[in-house]
Amino acid sequence: MARGEGAEQYTATLLTATVKPMKTEIKAIKPNEQRSFTEKQRKNGLSVWNKLCYAFGGAPYQITGSTLGFFLQIYLLDVAQLDPFYASIILFVGRAWDAITDPTVGFLVSRSRWTSIGRMMPWILFSTPFAVLTYFLIWYVPSFEEGKVIWYLVFYCLFQSMQTCFHVPYSALTMFISSDQKERDSATAYRMMVEVLGTVLGTAIQGQIVGGVSSCPTEPKDSNSTNTTMNTTIVSLEDTKQAYLLASGVICIIYIFCATVLFFGVKEQKESDRKTSAPPLSFRQGLWVIVSHGPYVKLVIGFLFTSLAFMLLEGNFALFITHALGHRNDFQNILLVIMLSGTLTIPWWQWFLTRFGKKTATYCGILWAVPFMILIVSIQSHLIISYLVSVAAGVSVAAAFLLPWSMLPDAVDDFKVQNPDIHGHEALFYSFYVFFIKFASGLSLGISTLSLKFAGYVTGECSQPEAVSSTLKVLVSPVPIILIIIGLLVIKTYPIDEERRQGNRKLLQDLLDSESETSELGSSV
């Protein structure tokens, strides 16, 4: 569930470029040198407080991401009352812009100079107020009709830019909070825990506040009170607008709080001066390196299809619950159940993939949702069944978002083994993966919203044509299922099994241990 991790890897690699180990004939570490090295590791240790403060910095990205993912489409259509065609443009351009800004900001951050508060912290500090302001304005409905589309397009893209300026340096900060790999891994574990909780918190805050109001009357009105009904609906729509603003205000406060805790609780360590072993790859060179490695290409294509399946489900599920199932007053609770289910099952999937292998976990985890996708559109709408399907869907959502980030390092390790002369460019694999996923998700969400226009979706109406209900059913069941099947068929051709993965890992660990030993010995001489 954690999103946009490729940029952090790209930036971290640019900032901590791999160097060739110093060649030396010394064979063993002397006792006093070993003690010195141990004392150095102890100095680089992080307290629990430092790790928690660092972890808090990951919450804003996940809170705002889950909120926009679940609620932005239905907000643009039913609250801002934009035409589905314009809503599709906003959603696609915003996602595409987000995809482009990741590598761009990563490049700019890597060229930043050290300041009195660090190298990453200035980006985090100065982007926060602009990110908060633009996020709040996304959920504000302007009084004018002309230019409303431009309003949402501009502030959505600006927020994505400011959020990237926060999250990319924050992700790269992992490399500068400690020089001890174990401490960095421990801090990352804290971060993942907080980020997972952030997805639940974002869904809960937005859903529970917005779900308390509705722009549609819950009871039918008398035929002689048409004006009263119209006034009630208008007042209720204004209440809904205020609810969205209130929810965004609460999230903005949390955003500022987390950024403040990060700034005062984490001290960025200055990078030691080192010479790089190779010049940075150009975009064309990096792309060629990626497409030339078959296992990576197969893995990315496979997960591209499966990720799109669950992104379609995420983007259209709120509308599906509201208009196709008729659970208008319960959609926020159903979404929360999905996120809670996914959060609670992440540790179980982590155990499953270590016990039975990653490819087996991929097949079982992603296919688990298929029967329930069929069930939800095949039977008559029933609230209890909707909740049960949401629990099952959450289990698969956890697997779908956990497994790609678990398997991508294996493809990168395989590339290292096959290309030992290429150093310092591994993270391009992550960056391009995020780029492809974000761009494709924007395209799919834009097309799905546009399909609602062709189905006759009427903005602001409580009751939609039957064609809209049928279209939503197609978008949350048959289309995702087809994408899942295609993705798993591609992943079946992925050649890195457990035996090959363990072999690659052992070779790279032996090489890393050898390089670390010779580097420490060389520096002591």
Side-chain angles (χ1 to χ4, degrees), residues 323-345:
H323 296 297
L325 298 184
H327 304 318
R328 182 180 300 276
N329 296 325
D330 295 279
F331 81 95
Q332 73 278 4
N333 297 323
I334 295 176
L335 295 178
L336 182 59
V337 167
I338 293 177
M339 301 309 298
L340 285 174
S341 174
T343 301
L344 295 175
T345 52

Side-chain angles (χ1 to χ4, degrees), residues 418-436:
Q418 296 184 26
N419 302 271
D421 296 330
I422 299 181
H423 298 280
H425 309 301
E426 302 88 347
L428 289 173
F429 290 92
Y430 294 86
S431 185
F432 278 103
Y433 171 75
V434 172
F435 175 82
F436 294 140

Side-chain angles (χ1 to χ4, degrees), residues 3-119:
R3 306 179 299 142
E5 302 298 327
E8 73 177 78
Q9 302 289 347
Y10 174 62
T11 307
T13 295
L14 288 171
L15 297 171
T16 58
T18 305
V19 296
K20 292 182 179 179
M22 298 177 61
K23 294 183 178 180
T24 178
E25 300 298 326
I26 300 175
K27 300 296 183 181
I29 300 178
K30 297 178 182 179
N32 60 332
E33 293 169 348
Q34 178 65 46
R35 287 195 298 271
S36 177
F37 180 61
T38 303
E39 291 175 359
K40 182 180 179 181
Q41 285 184 311
R42 191 178 298 115
K43 289 181 181 179
N44 289 323
L46 296 172
S47 66
V48 174
W49 170 251
N50 293 140
K51 295 173 184 177
L52 283 174
C53 290
Y54 168 73
F56 266 85
Y61 185 81
Q62 299 301 331
I63 292 175
T64 56
S66 63
T67 302
L68 291 169
F70 278 121
F71 294 94
L72 183 58
Q73 184 188 46
I74 193 171
Y75 165 80
L76 293 176
L77 294 175
D78 287 353
V79 181
Q81 297 189 354
L82 295 181
D83 185 273
F85 173 75
Y86 295 119
S88 67
I89 292 177
I90 293 171
L91 294 171
F92 167 67
V93 173
R95 293 288 185 97
W97 179 256
D98 185 26
I100 295 171
T101 55
D102 274 329
T104 303
V105 172
F107 177 83
L108 294 175
V109 171
S110 69
R111 266 63 177 176
S112 300
R113 295 184 178 183
W114 180 266
T115 68
S116 58
I117 59 175
R119 195 177 184 183

Side-chain angles (χ1 to χ4, degrees), residues 364-471:
C364 296
I366 295 178
L367 284 174
W368 171 261
V370 171
F372 298 96
M373 289 181 180
I374 298 174
L375 177 66
I376 195 68
V377 299
S378 300
I379 64 174
Q380 187 176 1
S381 174
H382 193 282
L383 185 59
I384 300 300
I385 294 178
S386 298
Y387 275 109
L388 293 176
V389 170
S390 300
V391 173
V395 175
S396 277
V397 167
F401 286 97
L402 171 67
L403 288 165
W405 298 111
S406 177
M407 297 175 72
L408 275 171
D410 301 335
V412 177
D413 287 346
D414 190 75
F415 174 83
K416 291 181 184 179
V417 171
Q418 296 184 26
N419 302 271
D421 296 330
I422 299 181
H423 298 280
H425 309 301
E426 302 88 347
L428 289 173
F429 290 92
Y430 294 86
S431 185
F432 278 103
Y433 171 75
V434 172
F435 175 82
F436 294 140
I437 292 296
K438 285 187 175 181
F439 189 86
S441 67
L443 182 62
S444 67
L445 191 56
I447 292 175
S448 66
T449 307
L450 189 60
S451 66
L452 294 177
K453 176 179 176 60
F454 296 136
Y457 190 95
V458 183
T459 57
E461 291 295 325
C462 300
S463 179
Q464 297 293 336
E466 183 62 30
V468 172
S469 176
S470 300
T471 301

Side-chain angles (χ1 to χ4, degrees), residues 205-273:
I205 292 174
Q206 188 87 359
Q208 295 306 311
I209 294 178
V210 172
V213 295
S214 173
S215 59
C216 296
T218 56
E219 296 180 1
K221 302 293 182 178
D222 185 84
S223 58
N224 295 325
S225 57
T226 304
N227 294 332
T228 303
T229 302
M230 183 177 299
N231 292 334
T232 302
T233 302
I234 292 174
V235 171
S236 185
L237 178 59
E238 291 300 319
D239 291 341
T240 303
K241 293 178 182 179
Q242 294 300 317
Y244 272 98
L245 277 180
L246 175 61
S248 65
V250 173
I251 290 176
C252 287
I253 293 173
I254 296 175
Y255 196 119
I256 296 174
F257 172 77
C258 291
T260 303
V261 170
L262 173 66
F263 179 76
F264 287 104
V266 176
K267 180 175 177 57
E268 184 178 348
Q269 297 183 4
K270 190 173 184 179
E271 179 190 13
S272 59
D273 295 329

